[in-house]
Amino acid sequence: MSTIEKIRGIKENQCPVDVLLKEVTDHKCNNCGKCVFGYEGASQIIMILKDFTDKKGRSGDLDLIRDACYMMKTQSLCEDGEDLAEAVTEALETYKQDFEDHAAKKACRAGVCKKFVTYHILADKCTGCGDCMDECEDEAILGKKK
């Protein structure tokens, strides 16, 4: 299945930003290096998409991705770079709201991007056992037993 087909087939429980990041990361251009525009374009897109999934994205970053795609479309030495740029451009247009939500609202519709997920302990349901403190990998839970 091509990159563009995978982008078109995104389901409700998937995050378009996350899917696009994985697709660009796994794309041939990211490991090729034969042409600067394909390799560097893919590398730049990966860095920007990573910022989006890490809650560091900004609205202006979408323009940077579009610029990189334009350069890839017009300057890549092979069809792979052009195809990747086309898939990314289509994803930006098709899932524009998701990208804007990641940048402006710092929200992930699908709840896939881990940096956007927050957990809350409901005090009225807490038994004070401390199991949550042991399970939390980030040591984000403060307090004592009971």
Side-chain angles (χ1 to χ4, degrees), residues 3 13 20 29 36 47 61 78-79 86 99 116 118 132 141:
T3 301
N13 63 344
L20 186 60
C29 283
V36 173
M47 284 191 284
D61 292 343
C78 67
E79 288 182 12
E86 187 64 37
F99 283 92
F116 293 93
T118 58
C132 58
I141 302 171

Side-chain angles (χ1 to χ4, degrees), residues 73-140:
K73 280 185 205 175
T74 58
Q75 303 295 320
S76 290
L77 298 178
C78 67
E79 288 182 12
D80 290 331
E82 295 170 15
D83 292 343
L84 178 61
E86 187 64 37
V88 171
T89 302
E90 184 171 322
L92 290 178
E93 294 307 313
T94 305
Y95 303 103
K96 184 177 182 177
Q97 190 61 50
D98 288 291
F99 283 92
E100 289 175 355
D101 287 349
H102 273 71
K105 294 180 181 176
K106 304 296 184 206
C108 178
R109 166 186 57 83
V112 173
C113 299
K114 300 237 186 273
K115 296 284 183 171
F116 293 93
V117 178
T118 58
Y119 298 93
H120 301 277
I121 297 172
L122 302 174
D124 59 332
K125 300 204 184 235
C126 179
T127 61
C129 66
D131 288 345
C132 58
M133 288 189 276
D134 297 335
E135 290 296 321
C136 183
E137 295 172 6
D138 296 326
E139 297 181 15

Side-chain angles (χ1 to χ4, degrees), residues 20-47 50 72 78 80-81 84:
L20 186 60
L21 174 60
K22 289 175 184 169
E23 286 302 313
V24 176
T25 301
D26 293 341
H27 197 272
K28 298 173 195 172
C29 283
N30 193 37
N31 298 317
C32 176
K34 288 182 182 175
C35 71
V36 173
F37 292 101
Y39 177 77
E40 284 298 322
S43 298
Q44 292 296 318
I45 292 169
I46 288 169
M47 284 191 284
K50 232 176 183 354
M72 287 175 72
C78 67
D80 290 331
L84 178 61

